Amino acid sequence: MKKTIFLATLLLVVVACNKPLLKYNSNFEGTWYSEPQYNPDLGVFVSDELVFSGKEGSYQVDCKDTCATNLCDCTAKITGTPEINKQHTIIRLNSQTQRTFQLDAEPYEQGGFWFMEVDGKTYKKQ
């Protein structure tokens, strides 16, 4: 029963995500860093990175922010084609390992900087 519910939910997500992200809203384009958070396992502050450029997107996890101007030494990276569902609540990276993100707030400008909220984290455009 749980497997059936999971497969039905997965199918709904796959069918519902059908619009290219940047065609929906070009303000997503660019490199976005989450606010740094301390990771006790790594013993350093880390950030996540989302990049949307043209038809490509990437997501990097637990990146160190001590590498000059860019993040480095990330623990994982996923690349793929970014799409958004019809309700504009879920972003999906289509790749061999598909990843979905809950879109809490679309890109907005505040104090001359761009922000968005994804999976409960605030991201700032670089």
Side-chain angles (χ1 to χ4, degrees):
M1 182 65 175
K2 287 183 182 181
K3 189 174 183 179
T4 304
I5 292 172
F6 175 76
L7 290 175
T9 303
L10 182 63
L11 180 62
L12 179 62
V13 169
V14 169
V15 171
C17 294
N18 62 353
K19 186 165 189 165
L21 181 66
L22 297 181
K23 281 190 177 184
Y24 162 67
N25 183 343
S26 63
N27 290 328
F28 281 101
E29 184 152 14
T31 300
W32 300 83
Y33 293 169
S34 68
E35 296 176 340
Q37 296 180 345
Y38 185 74
N39 183 319
D41 294 333
L42 299 175
V44 295
F45 281 87
V46 295
S47 295
D48 294 345
E49 177 188 76
L50 283 166
V51 178
F52 303 114
S53 179
K55 294 182 179 181
E56 296 295 318
S58 68
Y59 173 61
Q60 295 193 91
V61 183
D62 287 342
C63 304
K64 294 179 184 175
D65 63 354
T66 56
C67 309
T69 58
N70 297 326
L71 299 179
C72 65
D73 297 332
C74 304
T75 59
K77 181 177 183 176
I78 299 171
T79 60
T81 305
E83 294 181 339
I84 192 161
N85 68 344
K86 290 181 182 181
Q87 296 79 21
H88 309 140
T89 57
I90 296 174
I91 297 172
R92 180 178 68 176
L93 274 181
N94 284 323
S95 64
Q96 286 182 324
T97 307
Q98 290 187 11
R99 172 71 160 83
T100 59
F101 304 89
Q102 180 67 40
L103 180 59
D104 302 315
E106 292 190 24
Y108 58 92
E109 189 175 4
Q110 182 176 349
F113 296 98
W114 282 89
F115 299 92
M116 70 174 170
E117 297 171 24
V118 176
D119 286 344
K121 295 180 182 179
T122 301
Y123 286 76
K124 182 179 179 184
K125 192 179 236 183
Q126 301 304 299

